[in-house]
Amino acid sequence: MQRRCSQKARRTLVAVRFELKPPPYSLNALESHMSHEIMEYHWGKHQRGYVENLNRQIVGTELNGMALEDIIVVSHNKGDLPVFNNAAQIWNHEFFWESMKPGGGGKPLGDLLELIEKYFGSFEGFIRENKLAASTQFGSGWACLALPCLACEYFSFFVK
Ligand SMILES: [Fe+2]
């Protein structure tokens, strides 16, 4: 997350603002899987809105100046759902963009494939469970597979 500091001439309050970070590729780079229109919707509308909302919400608060990840933790722990939602959705969208690339995808190799086969029986079993997770939870139909901790030796799905 890129941030920009600004200070109004007659104020002592320094506002640290989050900026809308563009995806690491053009909005039409994933055309065969995701249209430019959908990319623009998630980046130009969703992510932009979360950034603008969070910037408004943190002005003059203890959250101003914190890293995005710290705002997520603090707002979650305080039960500040509006701030948490905006901060977490900024993080989710940036993670979303970084998780894809033109020409990417397909069946993994090596250690990742071995772990997937160990926990899902097969790559095809993983695909089935991933689709089930994405289609049965509230959200946009998007699911990610995460290995939260190597020592834990388990996978979990989360949906954005
Ligand atoms: Fe979105």
Side-chain angles (χ1 to χ4, degrees), residues 106-124 126 155:
K107 190 173 183 176
L109 302 170
D111 292 345
L112 179 57
L113 180 58
E114 284 182 33
L115 284 169
I116 287 172
E117 289 174 343
K118 178 179 176 182
Y119 291 100
F120 297 97
S122 66
F123 183 70
E124 292 70 28
F126 155 70
F155 284 108

Side-chain angles (χ1 to χ4, degrees), residues 42 46 93 160:
H42 285 282
H46 285 180
H93 279 75
K160 114 182 184 88

Side-chain angles (χ1 to χ4, degrees), residues 38-39 41-43 45-47 50 89 92-93 96-97 140 160:
I38 293 295
M39 296 281 287
Y41 192 76
H42 285 282
W43 179 71
K45 184 172 181 180
H46 285 180
Q47 191 172 343
Y50 297 129
Q89 287 294 2
N92 280 345
H93 279 75
F96 182 66
W97 306 129
S140 64
K160 114 182 184 88

Side-chain angles (χ1 to χ4, degrees), residues 1-2 27 32 38 44 48 53 68-69 76 94 102 112 136:
M1 171 56 55
Q2 298 172 344
L27 295 180
S32 61
I38 293 295
R48 180 182 309 279
N53 288 340
L68 183 63
E69 291 80 2
H76 179 269
E94 290 184 357
L112 179 57
T136 58

Side-chain angles (χ1 to χ4, degrees), residues 117-145:
E117 289 174 343
K118 178 179 176 182
Y119 291 100
F120 297 97
S122 66
F123 183 70
E124 292 70 28
F126 155 70
I127 295 295
R128 273 192 307 278
E129 289 201 38
N130 187 296
K131 287 180 179 178
L132 183 64
S135 63
T136 58
Q137 295 193 39
F138 178 78
S140 64
W142 181 262
C144 296
L145 178 66

Side-chain angles (χ1 to χ4, degrees), residues 7-142:
Q7 185 171 13
K8 299 224 174 195
R10 295 181 305 169
R11 292 180 147 187
T12 56
L13 177 66
V14 175
V16 179
R17 299 181 57 81
F18 289 97
E19 292 188 352
L20 180 64
K21 183 179 173 184
Y25 35 76
S26 70
L27 295 180
N28 63 357
L30 305 176
E31 276 288 342
S32 61
H33 303 287
M34 188 176 293
S35 71
H36 180 279
E37 180 184 12
I38 293 295
M39 296 281 287
E40 177 60 36
Y41 192 76
H42 285 282
W43 179 71
K45 184 172 181 180
H46 285 180
Q47 191 172 343
R48 180 182 309 279
Y50 297 129
V51 167
E52 291 173 355
N53 288 340
L54 184 64
N55 282 333
R56 278 193 298 272
Q57 291 169 324
I58 65 173
V59 169
T61 73
E62 64 174 341
L63 303 173
N64 190 297
M66 286 186 181
L68 183 63
E69 291 80 2
D70 294 333
I71 292 175
I72 292 169
V73 171
V74 169
S75 62
H76 179 269
N77 290 341
K78 291 175 75 174
D80 188 344
L81 198 57
V83 168
F84 173 76
N85 282 343
N86 285 305
Q89 287 294 2
I90 293 169
W91 193 95
N92 280 345
H93 279 75
E94 290 184 357
F95 179 74
F96 182 66
W97 306 129
E98 296 290 338
S99 299
M100 300 181 292
K101 65 180 181 181
K107 190 173 183 176
L109 302 170
D111 292 345
L112 179 57
L113 180 58
E114 284 182 33
L115 284 169
I116 287 172
E117 289 174 343
K118 178 179 176 182
Y119 291 100
F120 297 97
S122 66
F123 183 70
E124 292 70 28
F126 155 70
I127 295 295
R128 273 192 307 278
E129 289 201 38
N130 187 296
K131 287 180 179 178
L132 183 64
S135 63
T136 58
Q137 295 193 39
F138 178 78
S140 64
W142 181 262

